[in-house]
Amino acid sequence: MGLKIYGVLRSRATRVVWMAKELGLAFEHVPVIQGYRLPDPHASDAPLNTNSPSFRAVNPNGLVPTIDDDGFILHESFAITQYLARKHGGPLAAKDAQEDGLITMWTLWAATEVEANALKAMQNSAAVKTRDEAVYTAAVTALKPKFAVLDKALGQGDGHLVGGRFTVADLNVAEAVRYAQAAPELFTDAPHVQAWITACQARPAFRTMMTERNAEPA
């Protein structure tokens, strides 16, 4: 059966596909569009989407991404990336319990402290015609101290979050921080964050994934 990754790349499936490419895994990518992006997700001619019965049979939450790894079903993008790293090993995975704890810590930090406000900043940036400037300002204000925390950690960690090397922790946090790139002022006082995100996004696996993402219908 192999590995299947469900979800279009214009979703949090980006981080899962990036991880699979970093690990050199063979996988089947099953595009599942978010139902809210369709005029009628229940229409008979609607593409496979998060409201489709066939997808709900895989993920009853109706969210992407999801993976099917030889019959093992797993949801939640951050859980999936950590699972793939743990299963396939290599330098992206933790080498001991302490590194595993740090990877989990940074992953949860990205999910709880960064991602929501980074998305708000992106969705209300100057490039968005329907932006809410107050929401943008509040999001950037909330993110500034988080960026200071990240900048200090990267400075102390030789440009990485765990073990002085690129790991799943860097990938997970970088994918949350990517949304905040719509707010360049956040990076002005965080030079380590700027250098780190540039290095992360220069990786061949990320660039290949983003090329595929940009080729998807908007």
Side-chain angles (χ1 to χ4, degrees):
M1 293 174 59
L3 174 65
K4 290 184 179 180
I5 301 176
Y6 293 86
V8 292
L9 288 171
R10 292 183 182 275
S11 73
R12 290 178 174 88
T14 53
R15 60 195 61 159
V16 177
V17 171
W18 180 9
M19 172 56 73
K21 290 182 181 294
E22 286 281 356
L23 295 168
L25 303 180
F27 63 92
E28 178 185 352
H29 182 202
V30 182
V32 181
I33 194 169
Q34 302 94 326
Y36 67 81
R37 293 173 57 189
L38 300 171
D40 182 2
H42 300 287
S44 60
D45 61 346
L48 183 63
N49 66 82
T50 52
N51 289 325
S52 298
S54 58
F55 178 68
R56 287 293 179 119
V58 178
N59 186 343
N61 300 300
L63 298 171
V64 287
T66 285
I67 65 166
D68 180 341
D69 188 20
D70 282 325
F72 173 64
I73 306 297
L74 189 64
H75 316 311
E76 303 299 332
S77 59
F78 286 140
I80 294 168
T81 55
Q82 286 189 264
Y83 161 76
L84 291 175
R86 285 169 177 157
K87 179 177 179 179
H88 297 281
L92 274 73
K95 68 179 182 182
D96 54 32
Q98 289 187 352
E99 285 198 354
D100 189 63
L102 287 170
I103 287 170
T104 300
M105 179 192 77
W106 280 112
T107 297
L108 289 172
W109 181 85
T112 61
E113 301 294 328
V114 174
E115 190 164 54
N117 280 312
L119 278 166
K120 289 178 182 177
M122 180 185 72
Q123 293 164 350
N124 294 278
S125 66
V128 179
K129 293 180 180 180
T130 58
R131 70 181 303 222
D132 185 326
E133 188 171 355
V135 171
Y136 176 86
T137 300
V140 170
T141 299
L143 285 169
K144 282 184 177 180
K146 310 305 179 185
F147 267 56
V149 169
L150 180 58
D151 197 68
K152 182 177 180 181
L154 290 168
Q156 294 174 338
D158 194 26
H160 297 289
L161 291 172
V162 177
R165 67 189 190 282
F166 183 83
T167 68
V168 62
D170 294 290
L171 187 151
N172 285 344
V173 178
E175 272 296 274
V177 169
R178 176 167 64 86
Y179 301 129
Q181 288 180 287
E185 63 268 39
L186 284 167
F187 297 82
T188 302
D189 296 324
H192 297 298
V193 176
Q194 180 62 72
W196 164 81
I197 196 70
T198 299
C200 287
Q201 293 179 350
R203 295 180 68 84
F206 176 86
R207 296 176 67 178
T208 300
M209 178 276 294
M210 285 300 291
T211 297
E212 294 173 4
R213 178 186 182 276
N214 292 334
E216 283 187 346

